[in-house]
Amino acid sequence: MRSAKTINLPRPAGGDKREAILRAAISVFAHNGYFNSKVADIAREAGVADGTVYLYFKSKEEILHSIFDRSVDEAVGEARKKLELLTDPRDKLRQIASLHLERLGADRDLAVVFQVELRGSTKFMEEFSAAGFAEYLALIRSVFEEGQRAGVFRQDLNAKVVAKILFGALDEMATNWILSKRRYKLAPMADQVLDIFLNGVTE
Amino acid sequence: MRSAKTINLPRPAGGDKREAILRAAISVFAHNGYFNSKVADIAREAGVADGTVYLYFKSKEEILHSIFDRSVDEAVGEARKKLELLTDPRDKLRQIASLHLERLGADRDLAVVFQVELRGSTKFMEEFSAAGFAEYLALIRSVFEEGQRAGVFRQDLNAKVVAKILFGALDEMATNWILSKRRYKLAPMADQVLDIFLNGVTE
Amino acid sequence: MRSAKTINLPRPAGGDKREAILRAAISVFAHNGYFNSKVADIAREAGVADGTVYLYFKSKEEILHSIFDRSVDEAVGEARKKLELLTDPRDKLRQIASLHLERLGADRDLAVVFQVELRGSTKFMEEFSAAGFAEYLALIRSVFEEGQRAGVFRQDLNAKVVAKILFGALDEMATNWILSKRRYKLAPMADQVLDIFLNGVTE
Amino acid sequence: MRSAKTINLPRPAGGDKREAILRAAISVFAHNGYFNSKVADIAREAGVADGTVYLYFKSKEEILHSIFDRSVDEAVGEARKKLELLTDPRDKLRQIASLHLERLGADRDLAVVFQVELRGSTKFMEEFSAAGFAEYLALIRSVFEEGQRAGVFRQDLNAKVVAKILFGALDEMATNWILSKRRYKLAPMADQVLDIFLNGVTE
DNA sequence: AATGAATGAGCATTCATTCAT
DNA sequence: TATGAATGAATGCTCATTCAT
């Protein structure tokens, strides 16, 4: 239990600094790329001294990991909650796709970090893969299997492969959106993907 | 098996060195990641002096680009040639998907470079995007439009989006294959992807 | 000589902290070396906050100086007092040597700081030299000169050089004891040193 | 077998650079202390680029070790050679003492590194102790034992302790010489030390 | 007096690239 | 062409010290 002080006062910056650094890092990484970003850049952007970064994160790499972890946790959490309100597996997949693209579409910098910076090394990718990403794929897969049991989706499909296909399609939408010079809304792409996908996997 | 040429002719050695460096780079990048790979590592692996690398490539970055360019050129060239033999747009898409995964599945190191190392910076991605990749997407798209005109594919779909979906699904197959601890054949995944995809986009 | 005050009065605790920090520093310096010791380590070992260290010492360097000063003051003080009880210059030198090695032999950490950490920079050495050390050498020298006047020691020797020789021999005993892997008593070495030394300087 | 080229030409700097760096390091360490010396300082003093230092030495620490190793090897080598020409153990000890102080007295910077910089950490001291220094003490000891067998030196003395005493006395002469503000010749001190020492250890 | 979060100067080491041979 | 010694710019991280509370 925190002391009353921590509750009453406008908080001595504790979490604020960490948050500021994380936000700054997303911006800096998105604009310069992870390897070209200097810790000093992040510190300046966050309005703290270089050394302060190390009071909250063990290393530059840990900052990247923290960005990923926090975002995935939030995303999966939100998804699970909203899925409880739905029953039709098709609606659930639509929901997942919408949340996926809405979230990335709402924060271009974060999207760049997710779609590009996080992909640049097998090391990151493997951890990324092992961590939240696997959980995300499993979520899609379980919804699909639920649909198969309900007779809504084709029985002859491998649920694991199907999950990857849906993820891959959505992921490509996000990556293309980031790299595109034209400015358009990302979220609506979910419908087009789902249209084809559901048509393809439905009996 | 190398062509007799490399064995018989006194070759100016020129191409050989360049080729050796490129091959060495694919291996080194795949194992250490682009940013962690030293030019000296590539030189050693290629059996040449550090300075020699710069007789064939302007910079470390250009090596990465050359890997990409050469591979995409080969891939698109082969695809175009094989597509000429087919008439059914569905067969053509199957052909594209097969070649895509066969090629990556045949050279794991190259696949790692393509699926991971080439993705790690917006800069690369943008160039990547602007260069051969756009051409590749355009190829898929034109085949799809051909199918739409022929009344084989749904008219209500945006061909550009459809192309991205197919590419994204295939791309995810490749990335997952690389990161997976299990060893399986990549090429056969093409059929499962196409099954769903074609079912989804067909009238 | 400490006043009774320090013992009887309820002291403002002030001295306690200073003492704790000094003790902690001896231990930390002895185990990690002066340059590798962090002020934070000393603070933790002393059970105070980092900032508190600076309420008692102006800098990390001053802590090292204080360790030296306090120890030398105590040592010279004790030596002077005990020497008053003796008359034979030979006994006095034996007393000095015994005290020297007993003191270091009784506190290995302190000995490490004295024999090693204090030696690592000309700057320290010069100050060290200028301060108590000179006083210590002078003490040995005066006893020797007393012996020369008394006709006990050879007249043809330079008292200053003789003092250095005795100090050097004792110092080497201490340093070797610290670095030795074998565990033996340091104090008894004083006799062996004095045996040779006195035999050498005696008429 | 080196190519003739390496033999005929004034050598492409190979050993020259290493030598220059070593010499520069001795000077820089002597003037600023090891911990306060920057590799960049050494490089500048040696007239090479910072990176060049790392072509010849693995680290800053290795430079210090190399200074020590090279000097001790030279010193012990010279000592052994000159001792062969002598037979009287007393002359041999005189020779050792003279060489010891002559060598240090001839290169004040080197002497500073030896007497001060090399002493500043138990880590260095232990390696120092384990390496050439032990060999040096052993040399003194064997000469003394030779004298004991010859009936020249007292039989009741522990040769190991005696060796330390002589070394300690000489070492202190060197250290005092360095720290002294007065400028005097170091080598002649050897005689005064030996006078007392031999008088002390002789039957 | 005491705290400990915040500061920011400082530095060893790496490595892409060059160029004299 | 080929070499590889030499370069020197670049940067993540540490830690002594300060100061608002």
Side-chain angles (χ1 to χ4, degrees), chain D residues 17 49 51-52 55-56:
Chain D
K17 288 254 167 76
T52 303
L55 293 179
Y56 296 92

Side-chain angles (χ1 to χ4, degrees), chain B residues 116-131:
Chain B
V116 182
E117 299 312 325
L118 237 18
R119 314 297 174 98
S121 94
T122 25
K123 193 156 153 288
F124 282 147
M125 285 297 273
E126 275 158 8
E127 291 162 353
F128 169 66
S129 189

